């Protein structure tokens, strides 16, 4: 059963603050994230609510970090998408 929080859906639509992942110029940009769960030079885990992205590679660096987005650079090999369950 999927639970839907109508207020959250409306807020996300109005404010356009959906958890979003883009790859631009060989860098990963994660928009409207909630937490950086963990980071090392080989794995960075970023989440928002129940959504999680795991970035794997070598020499990973958090290049830019703002409340709206974070930019990861390095030798990125794999993105894993999942949930916090």
């Amino acid at each position: 059963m999927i639970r839907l929080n109508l207020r959250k859906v409306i807020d996300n639509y109005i404010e356009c603050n959906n958890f979003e992942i883009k790859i631009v110029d060989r860098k990963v940009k994660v928009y409207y994230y909630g937490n950086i769960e963990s980071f090392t030079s080989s794995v960075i885990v970023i989440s928002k609510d129940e959504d999680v992205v795991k970035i794997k590679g070598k020499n990973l660096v958090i290049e830019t970090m703002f409340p709206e987005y974070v930019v990861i650079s390095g030798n990125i090999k794999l993105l894993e998408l999942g949930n916090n369950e």
Side-chain angles (χ1 to χ4, degrees):
M1 174 185 228
I2 297 175
R3 299 170 105 189
L4 188 62
N5 182 335
L6 189 55
R7 182 180 181 106
K8 183 177 173 183
V9 170
I10 292 170
D11 286 346
N12 284 342
Y13 179 77
I14 291 170
E15 296 177 18
C16 190
N17 59 357
N18 291 324
F19 185 61
E20 207 174 308
I21 302 157
K22 294 183 180 181
I23 300 170
V24 179
D25 297 329
R26 303 186 62 85
K27 298 177 184 181
V28 176
K29 295 184 178 185
V30 182
Y31 293 88
Y32 303 107
Y33 65 99
N35 296 304
I36 296 176
E37 301 291 338
S38 63
F39 66 92
T40 66
S41 63
S42 59
V43 179
I44 298 175
V45 180
I46 301 173
S47 68
K48 180 175 182 184
D49 302 327
E50 57 276 340
D51 296 319
V52 175
V53 61
K54 191 179 289 187
I55 302 151
K56 295 183 177 183
K58 293 183 180 177
N59 303 317
L60 300 179
V61 175
I62 297 175
E63 185 176 288
T64 306
M65 188 166 82
F66 292 108
E68 297 84 17
Y69 69 94
V70 63
V71 179
I72 310 298
S73 63
N75 189 357
I76 298 165
K77 296 291 184 183
L78 178 68
L79 293 178
E80 289 181 1
L81 304 176
N83 57 33
N84 264 338
E85 296 176 2

